Every structure is written in structure tokens, then in C-alpha cells.
Amino acid sequence: MIYFDHNATTPIDERVVEVMQPFLHSFYGNPSSLYRLGRLSRSAVETAREQVAALLGTQPSRVVFTSGGTEANNLAVNSIDDSSSVAVSAIEHPSMLEPLFHRRSSYRKFSLIEVDENGRVIPEAIDGLNLNQGDFVSIMLANNETGVIQDIAGLVEKLRRRRVVFHTDAVQAIGKVPVSFDQLGVDMMSVSGHKIYGPKGVGALVFTKGSEPKPMLLGGGQEHGWRAGTENVAAIVGFGKAAELAASELDERRRRIESLRDKLEQALAELAGVTVFSKNAERLPNTLQISIPGVDGEMLLMRMDQHNIAVSSGSACASGAGEPSPVLTAMGVDSVVAKGAIRISLGKDNTEQDIDKMISVINKLLVL
Ligand code: PLP
């Protein structure tokens, strides 16, 4: 199988499995227990926190572990004070948009921030928002469909005097491009383990002093009370190792993946009428979203599956919904073109042969 859907999830790295294994067998202690077995688990969780903090360019004390990116986003939303003004980009992941829409009536004002035809937030769109101290803004660092990277540091700077709480969803960015929480200047940031060759079901919310999350889960006081519940030690340990590997291998992975993506993009762009979305924006090195005229994205996906190639027709959660992608719709893409979209997202183990096979299969499918 040729796997080109790394923005949906990544295969777990063998080196990650190796460090997790003892915590599924012998080291089963509860990190809150005071005897040696418990302390061993506690120490492993704190090592993982250091590894994750190092990848994210911040202090371990700023990292609260969650069950994934979805929970981290929901935790950020839960921390918004009622009657604040809230502004969020129109292209956020559903795990950000849905909880916000759900609580929308409690906000003083709720605004969607527009993007341009390349999927970039329009900086002037922020100027018109009447935001003040304690209001909440969320703009993702990199989009899961197009791969577009936003200038978060610039947008934070624009809003600095207003003293808003600025959250960014960095789930797709980490491990693919350098990300420094401290340098971005945001107040909160969401990340996830399974997009960086770690296990599923683990992630983190990172926050500054003064922007502590308001807990959704109450109980045993774990994670300083910000997220109660016995820690998923093995998954946290795996996330830590995946973060360590992502930090040390980032440059090499990025260079290789980008050159493969560019080769594929060049070959596909030569096919008649193909649209490459967000071509003129800064994008993740691994992501390529295209539409082929007259070809339905889901149909193409199923045909590729028959050739043992896995791609996506949009964000994994939206696949099968039959609706054009809200991200492409927000970019003003025509609904027929948007329905033809397929997302190809490369990973560290893809090879030149994978790219050649993909090009030949697409060419074969298009003449059928
Ligand atoms: N945010 C973005 C941008 C994502 O792409 C995803 C997953 O696809 C999530 C959040 C949710 O993360 P998780 O799958 O860890 O809940």
C-alpha cells in the first residue's frame, strides 16, 4: 500500500512503539501513586512533557496533556469567558468550529475571519473586529486540507495592543515545519500525537501564564487540575518520543518530503486543467490539494484505493459527507471544482517510487 494521507494520521514509528511497550506491560503504576512503580510512571510522563515542550519551543510547565487535538481545541474553547467577543478563521478544523458554534449564543459577538482565494487570512479582516482585553481569537497555524501556513506571529503582533487571548491550532504544523510557541507569541496552542508518528488518542494544549485553561474534566486533580483523569502513560510516553524524533529529524524529513511533493505537483500540474489549490501561499512541505476537471474527488479516491494508493478527498472527518469542503468554499472555490478535490499528504517514509507509481496511476485513470 502506498500511503499518501499523513494529514489524516501517520503510521506509528517503530522507535515509538519500543519505548511505549514497557508501559503496557511491566510499568503499569499509576503516576499518582507514591511507591516506586508509581514514581516510575510519573517520571516517564514528566520526561515526555519535556520532550514535547522542546519540540514546541516552550517550558514543560506550559504543557497539559489531553486525549488529542480535538480535546485540546475543546479545552481552549471551554476557557473562553462568557460574554467575550470571539473571532475565528473560517477554515478551522471542525474540532474548533463546532464547540464554538455550540456556545455561540453566550458570546457578546461571534465573527468568522475571512480568507483570500489562496486560503490565507486577510490581515485587514482583523482590523475591523472590535476586540478588547480578554476577547478570544483562534487562527490555525497550518490548514489540514490545503496545507496553507498562516503568519500567526504577524497576526498576533497586529492584535498585541488589544490584549486578546490568541489560540492557534498547530496540529498539522508540528513535526513538518519548525514551530516555537514562545516565538509565535500566542496564548494557547493545540497539538496532537498521531500526526507526528506517535500514538492516537494523545495530544496537548500549551498555554501561557495567565491563560490557564478552564478544565472540562474534574476529578483527581491530575495535570494540575487542568485535565483530571489517570494519565494515559504509554501514549504520553510515545508522544514524547515522537516529539523528540520530530525535533531531531525535522530538517531532513522536510527537505526530502518537499522535493517529492514538488515532483508530484509538477507532474500533476501538467495534466490539462488541473487546479493546484493555494499554489501561491506558503504551504506545508508535505501537502498537495488538487482538483481535476470533470473528475469527482471521491470517485478518484476509490479508484486509487483499487490500486492500493491511499489519498483523501478532503479532511478525514468530512470524507463521505458529499458536500464540498468548507475550507475550499471559504476560499471562494466553485462547488463543482471543490467536489473534485483530492488531498495528497506525504510522509517521511514515502519514496521516489511511490511518486512515480502515483503519477502513472493517475495518468491511467484519467484515460479510462
Ligand atoms: N486540528 C486539525 C487541524 C486537525 O487536522 C485535526 C485532525 O485531523 C485535529 C485538530 C484533531 O486532532 P485529533 O485527531 O488528535 O483529535
Side-chain angles (χ1 to χ4, degrees), residues 7-8 68-71 73 93 95 140 142 144 169 171-172 192 194-195 202 317:
N7 287 6
T70 298
E71 187 188 326
N73 282 344
H93 190 265
S95 59
M140 70 203 314
N144 41 301
D169 175 345
V171 165
Q172 290 293 344
S192 176
H194 73 106
K195 313 282 185 182
V202 64
C317 324

Side-chain angles (χ1 to χ4, degrees), residues 5 9 11 24 47 49 62 69 80 101 103 119 182 234 236 291 343:
D5 202 14
T9 195
L24 296 166
T47 300
R49 204 184 307 278
R62 307 284 99 224
I80 302 172
F101 274 114
R103 298 181 45 182
D182 293 352
I236 290 172
S291 174
R343 177 188 70 185

Side-chain angles (χ1 to χ4, degrees), residues 3 5-13 16-17 20 52 55 65-73 93 95 144 169-176 190-204 232 234-243 246 253 286 315-317 343 345-349:
Y3 188 71
D5 202 14
H6 293 81
N7 287 6
T9 195
T10 54
I12 193 163
D13 192 304
V16 169
V17 175
M20 286 174 71
V52 169
L55 173 68
F65 286 118
T66 64
S67 66
T70 298
E71 187 188 326
N73 282 344
H93 190 265
S95 59
N144 41 301
D169 175 345
V171 165
Q172 290 293 344
I174 66 162
K176 296 178 184 138
S190 303
V191 295
S192 176
H194 73 106
K195 313 282 185 182
I196 61 164
Y197 309 91
K200 294 168 182 54
V202 64
N232 185 352
I236 290 172
V237 165
F239 184 21
K241 182 66 181 177
R253 287 183 192 176
N286 78 318
S315 79
C317 324
R343 177 188 70 185
S345 49
L346 281 65
K348 69 182 178 67
D349 299 321

Side-chain angles (χ1 to χ4, degrees), residues 245-318:
L245 294 169
S248 66
E249 296 175 3
L250 189 122
D251 288 343
E252 184 202 331
R253 287 183 192 176
R254 185 185 181 187
R255 224 174 310 113
R256 262 200 71 244
I257 291 173
E258 189 160 35
S259 84
L260 292 177
R261 192 275 311 266
D262 289 350
K263 177 178 170 179
L264 180 60
E265 177 167 334
Q266 213 167 355
L268 297 182
E270 280 167 15
L271 300 171
V274 163
T275 306
V276 175
F277 296 110
S278 303
K279 200 171 164 43
N280 298 316
E282 189 187 356
R283 280 175 295 157
L284 292 173
N286 78 318
T287 306
L288 174 58
Q289 196 181 31
I290 60 161
S291 174
I292 304 173
V295 177
D296 179 75
E298 302 238 315
M299 184 68 90
L300 190 57
L301 180 159
M302 298 317 290
R303 289 272 185 78
M304 291 210 166
D305 189 33
Q306 287 163 357
H307 288 265
N308 255 333
I309 298 179
V311 296
S312 164
S313 64
S315 79
C317 324

Side-chain angles (χ1 to χ4, degrees), residues 12 19 83 92 132 150 153 202 223 282 330 343 350 354 365:
I12 193 163
V19 297
S83 77
E92 295 299 308
N132 296 300
Q150 306 291 343
V202 64
E223 296 294 281
E282 189 187 356
R343 177 188 70 185
N350 283 129
D354 294 346
L365 290 177

